[in-house]
Amino acid sequence: MGLASRALCGAAGAAWRESFPLGGRDVARWFPGHMAKGLKKMQSSLKLVDCIIEVHDARIPLSGRNPLFQETLGLKPHMLVLNKMDLADLKEQQVKKIIQHLEGEGLKNVVFTNCVRDENIKQIIPMVRGLVESSYRYHRGESLEYCAMVIGIPNVGKSSLINALRRQHLRKGKATRVGGEPGITRAVMSRIQVCERPLMFLLDTPGVLAPRIESVEMGLKLALCGTVLDHLVGEETLADYLLYTLNRHQLFGYVQHYGLDGACDDIASVLKQVAVRLGKTQKVKVLTGTGDVNVIQPNYPAAARDFLRTFRSGLLGPVMLDRDVLQRPPLADP
């Protein structure tokens, strides 16, 4: 057995932090309060659409979805697209639990997708069509087209979904700008065609977070998935929560990825090793009794940014951040 394998075996039996220190963190400051304007625009456009397509991150299938979507847009047929499935730990038992919990919330139309690779994209158009045509409000009249509104919190892949549908059904390129950080789509856009037969249009919308986040831990999960800018939470705080989560789930891919000596629960130690491995160090002058001395110090923020980027790109393996929530019993089906 190699040194790396022995280190991982030892890590699997180690005792990790049972909880993450959440005190003193002002979660309200992390989430911008101007998003009500976007929700009002969506409400005013509701009469133009037949169906709501809510997109969310598959790594947090039960956390952070905006409850106001269901309350204010719930008049229309509603489906949930859990995107970034390639980044989520979706073992068969996990998927069953997710479906049970969502059905308990009254959501029976769920699709897991990876919009970058067009996985399961073909299911969406037939599902939208079926939802609309089975709706008791369905009065098609002379119109033979469908229109759905794409909603969700920031940076879950709403624009990527629209572009994937266009690639799949129209063989056309990007219609909406896509970015790896929240806030790329800033206004409710005009209708975008995604299919010819049936004729279907989608409305892209800006990401809208819930006005109040349930808990600091939910806020940290949302931030890990990139729904807010990292500096609002603190890159080293986020990196520490990521390390805590990976160790608790016994996911030690970070040890092999960075070539560390072994798994560790101390974020300062991990970031120091990451910084040295990546050459992310900086010279700092230290005043001593004999004069100024140049000391090489690890660049902790740069190491934290790389740790987060590596996780978000899937290089540390698939993760289910809602594992704790999935262990609770689902709500009764309303």
Side-chain angles (χ1 to χ4, degrees):
M1 186 185 287
L3 285 174
S5 300
R6 279 202 292 273
L8 291 181
C9 285
W16 306 108
R17 285 177 283 179
E18 290 295 320
S19 62
F20 188 80
L22 302 172
R25 302 184 195 278
D26 182 12
V27 71
R29 191 178 58 83
W30 301 348
F31 299 93
H34 63 267
M35 294 188 175
K37 187 177 177 184
L39 194 61
K40 282 181 181 174
K41 281 190 176 182
M42 291 182 212
Q43 283 177 280
S44 65
S45 303
L46 203 57
K47 59 182 177 294
L48 306 174
V49 303
D50 304 302
C51 176
I52 300 293
I53 302 174
E54 181 183 350
V55 185
H56 199 63
D57 195 308
R59 293 169 292 183
I60 46 171
L62 307 178
S63 289
R65 289 176 47 235
N66 192 334
L68 293 179
F69 289 150
Q70 195 67 31
E71 291 171 25
T72 59
L73 308 175
L75 297 170
K76 300 287 182 175
H78 192 123
M79 69 178 287
L80 178 65
V81 174
L82 289 171
N83 189 31
K84 306 187 183 183
M85 61 182 279
D86 55 313
L87 303 178
D89 180 8
L90 293 173
K91 296 184 181 75
E92 187 180 352
Q93 202 56 37
Q94 298 271 50
V95 172
K96 283 181 182 175
K97 285 182 179 179
I98 292 167
I99 297 297
Q100 285 172 354
H101 276 266
L102 291 172
E103 284 181 347
E105 295 176 21
L107 258 175
K108 294 179 168 46
N109 302 286
V110 181
V111 181
F112 292 86
T113 65
N114 172 5
C115 291
V116 175
R117 296 179 189 160
D118 292 355
E119 290 179 68
N120 296 345
I121 293 296
K122 283 184 178 177
Q123 298 179 31
I124 292 172
I125 297 288
M127 191 177 279
V128 169
R129 187 177 187 176
L131 268 174
V132 173
E133 292 182 0
S134 62
S135 168
Y136 69 92
R137 289 185 176 83
Y138 177 67
H139 300 294
R140 180 55 54 200
E142 295 298 313
S143 177
L144 296 174
E145 66 181 45
Y146 301 82
C147 185
M149 183 185 288
V150 181
I151 64 171
I153 64 176
N155 202 28
V156 289
K158 297 180 292 297
S159 297
S160 296
L161 173 67
I162 292 173
N163 292 332
L165 286 167
R166 283 172 61 82
R167 280 196 304 272
Q168 187 75 234
H169 298 283
L170 297 177
R171 300 288 184 262
K172 290 189 177 177
K174 293 180 180 179
T176 63
R177 189 179 164 208
V178 175
E181 62 180 48
I184 292 295
T185 306
R186 297 193 179 274
V188 177
M189 295 175 64
S190 57
R191 301 193 319 165
I192 300 164
Q193 185 179 351
V194 293
C195 191
E196 190 69 48
R197 294 183 181 177
L199 184 57
M200 189 172 293
F201 297 86
L202 298 184
L203 287 180
D204 196 10
T205 63
V208 178
L209 286 156
R212 192 180 70 82
I213 301 302
E214 265 181 41
S215 65
V216 174
E217 185 147 23
M218 182 185 284
L220 286 165
K221 288 181 187 180
L222 286 164
L224 261 191
C225 292
T227 62
V228 290
L229 297 170
D230 291 345
H231 72 267
L232 294 175
V233 181
E235 287 150 342
E236 290 173 56
T237 297
L238 264 184
D240 192 18
Y241 182 71
L242 172 58
L243 181 66
Y244 159 78
T245 301
L246 294 174
N247 286 336
R248 287 267 291 167
H249 293 189
Q250 299 200 357
L251 300 170
F252 304 117
Y254 69 92
V255 177
Q256 292 167 318
H257 179 81
Y258 287 111
L260 307 185
D261 299 332
C264 175
D265 221 8
D266 176 50
I267 190 61
S269 175
V270 169
L271 292 182
K272 182 178 181 179
Q273 291 182 70
V274 169
V276 171
R277 290 284 193 282
L278 299 176
K280 294 183 182 294
T281 54
Q282 52 197 1
K283 283 185 180 179
V284 178
K285 280 189 178 180
V286 177
L287 183 62
T288 69
T290 56
D292 290 351
V293 177
N294 284 328
V295 177
I296 303 296
Q297 274 193 353
N299 187 335
Y300 290 100
R305 283 193 292 274
D306 194 88
F307 191 31
L308 293 169
R309 180 194 57 76
T310 303
F311 161 72
R312 288 169 181 157
S313 60
L315 294 174
L316 303 183
V319 179
M320 175 49 64
L321 295 173
D322 267 350
R323 199 169 76 165
D324 55 333
V325 186
L326 288 169
Q327 287 170 351
R328 301 172 197 159
L331 298 168
D333 194 347

